[in-house]
Amino acid sequence: MWEDGWRHKKLNRSKALISAVLAGLFCGSCFAGEGLRVRGNELLGGGQRIVLRGVAVGDPILAREGRPLSDYERIAREWHANVVRISLHPGVWKHHPHEQVLDTLEREVNAALANGMYVILDWHTIGWPDGYHEPINKDWTDDPPDLYDSNFELAKDFWNEVSARFGKDGRIVFELWNEPVLAKKEEDEETPQWEHLKPFFAQLLGIVRAHSGNVVLATGNAWAYDLRGIREDPLPGKNVAYSWHIYAGTDDDDEEQWAQHLDELQRVAPVMVTEWGFQQHTKEAFRGTAKSYGVKFVRDFLEGRGLDSTAWCWHPDWTPVMLKTDWKTPTVMGRFVMDYLAAPEAMGAPPGRGGKKGS
């Protein structure tokens, strides 16, 4: 049923999507002046330099079913976050009524905004546009097999509707593609692929700009880790920033490798680490501790290189977890993140970067 409906909608929407791209890379009348904007390599909030530090909460339909909206008050007040990242999986967009999904997103977004936080909306695909997409874990029996679907028409449809719905509020950031992955084999990700990714991001940016001048986030391949090539050839237009994902165990926690893959991009554009974290007792690739990963990553990269961030994940089941099963008690990583958000100066924030709201 859904597939038949989608085929009919594709023809009807194609002209609208083409018009969206041709609308250009700017939409000055759509931008909420008190929201975020990019100036050089800085983010401005309400016209002043701001540092965003917060947490990711996952997909509200899959991760937050039954959770109260008061969670956002806790995140703001108890965790001292000033930004929250809310994700939406392609498989959810594909198999659920769009108005229902948008209404759910709106409730979550409004709750976060009401508690003084900025919001990142993330298209949570893992894969290559119209190519490979990550298969789901065999134990995730409740999720559709195309959870991370990388169909590019689906992504364009999502951003057309989402930017139209949320694009008038400049406090909302649009993260266009969660994690580009060329192929399943890690050796296929050893070469930067920005020149091949950039045209896809340009199309998504054009669609957003038909409705909104809000800040957007683009990224590189290798699960959003390899940002090489972007600095010399960035996306054109205003209010473009970049996301970076890096967990414990990435390149054996070698800071030189981390720096090579960041490629000094933060010198020319804002870089936000929209996923970072560690978990001590796990067989997953992000196994690590505050000592082996957390302290040096926060000190030398988030603060030492002036990066904004949202730690993954404010959840008791989505790993690496920051909460225990009571949804109240922080895990070891959760406590580390709480301490960092409450007192970034104690973890190396230089003058001018300390404090919840930045400077």
Side-chain angles (χ1 to χ4, degrees):
M1 290 291 291
W2 180 89
E3 292 292 344
D4 291 340
W6 175 249
R7 291 190 186 99
H8 285 93
K9 288 179 182 178
K10 282 175 69 176
L11 292 175
N12 293 331
R13 289 173 176 162
S14 60
K15 291 183 179 179
L17 291 174
I18 291 171
S19 298
V21 174
L22 294 178
L25 298 176
F26 304 96
C27 181
S29 63
C30 300
F31 183 68
E34 293 304 312
L36 293 170
R37 65 184 180 91
V38 170
R39 183 184 65 188
N41 67 343
E42 296 181 332
L43 282 176
L44 304 182
Q48 296 185 342
R49 174 73 175 102
I50 189 169
V51 180
L52 299 183
R53 303 182 182 96
V55 300
V57 298
D59 186 317
I61 292 176
L62 299 180
R64 292 187 42 75
E65 185 177 5
R67 292 301 305 166
L69 294 177
S70 58
D71 280 347
Y72 292 103
E73 182 179 9
R74 290 179 52 213
I75 291 170
R77 295 190 180 185
E78 298 176 19
W79 287 65
H80 301 281
N82 66 352
V83 62
V84 66
R85 180 183 188 240
I86 299 172
S87 300
L88 201 286
H89 286 81
V92 172
W93 186 250
K94 186 174 180 179
H95 298 297
H96 288 70
H98 289 182
E99 198 63 26
Q100 174 186 319
V101 173
L102 291 170
D103 287 346
T104 299
L105 285 177
E106 187 167 4
R107 286 192 294 272
E108 304 277 325
V109 167
N110 287 344
L113 295 175
N115 282 284
M117 294 187 288
Y118 294 92
V119 174
I120 301 167
L121 288 178
D122 151 51
W123 178 242
H124 206 73
T125 183
I126 302 177
W128 198 260
D130 284 335
Y132 168 83
H133 72 80
E134 186 89 356
I136 65 169
N137 188 305
K138 59 181 176 58
D139 296 327
W140 300 354
T141 56
D142 293 335
D143 295 322
D146 53 0
L147 185 68
Y148 297 116
D149 197 332
S150 60
N151 179 282
F152 197 60
E153 288 297 320
L154 193 65
K156 291 194 292 184
D157 179 68
F158 174 80
W159 285 118
N160 187 51
E161 293 198 38
V162 166
S163 60
R165 180 79 164 250
F166 298 99
K168 301 299 189 293
D169 193 321
R171 295 172 295 174
I172 301 170
V173 176
F174 299 135
E175 188 173 353
L176 300 177
W177 195 275
N178 172 49
E179 290 184 341
V181 180
L182 182 61
K184 185 176 182 179
K185 296 180 180 178
E186 289 193 19
E187 53 264 32
D188 293 327
E189 301 298 323
E190 294 177 358
T191 303
Q193 299 289 335
W194 174 247
E195 65 176 310
H196 304 297
L197 277 171
K198 184 182 177 183
F200 292 107
F201 278 114
Q203 288 187 60
L204 297 178
L205 177 60
I207 289 168
V208 170
R209 286 295 179 257
H211 304 290
S212 173
N214 286 21
V215 173
V216 303
L217 297 175
T219 192
N221 62 298
W223 293 270
Y225 172 57
D226 195 344
L227 304 186
R228 292 176 293 178
I230 301 176
R231 176 166 49 90
E232 298 86 359
D233 186 27
L235 283 171
K238 297 180 179 180
N239 293 325
V240 176
Y242 297 90
S243 55
W244 194 35
H245 292 183
I246 180 167
Y247 286 96
T250 301
D251 270 332
D252 297 321
D253 295 326
D254 183 338
E255 291 192 66
E256 290 187 6
Q257 286 294 321
W258 295 350
Q260 286 183 24
H261 286 79
L262 177 58
D263 195 36
E264 300 288 348
L265 179 57
Q266 82 283 357
R267 292 187 179 274
V268 300
V271 175
M272 172 168 283
V273 184
T274 52
E275 290 189 21
W276 67 275
F278 63 89
Q279 192 163 317
Q280 184 172 3
H281 301 294
T282 182
K283 295 180 180 179
E284 300 290 341
F286 45 76
R287 182 178 180 180
T289 65
K291 182 178 180 180
S292 68
Y293 161 83
V295 171
K296 65 182 182 181
F297 180 65
V298 168
R299 181 192 62 217
D300 299 337
F301 283 83
L302 295 187
E303 297 305 326
R305 287 169 168 80
L307 312 182
D308 301 275
S309 65
T310 54
W312 180 280
C313 184
W314 200 84
H315 199 275
D317 189 45
W318 288 33
T319 56
V321 296
M322 282 193 278
L323 296 171
K324 296 188 177 181
T325 55
D326 61 3
W327 283 86
K328 295 179 180 179
T329 308
T331 62
V332 171
M333 179 196 159
R335 174 51 61 185
F336 180 83
V337 172
M338 287 187 79
D339 290 344
Y340 169 50
L341 299 181
E345 304 92 339
M347 294 197 182
R353 275 185 61 86
K356 179 181 176 183
K357 293 297 181 184
S359 60

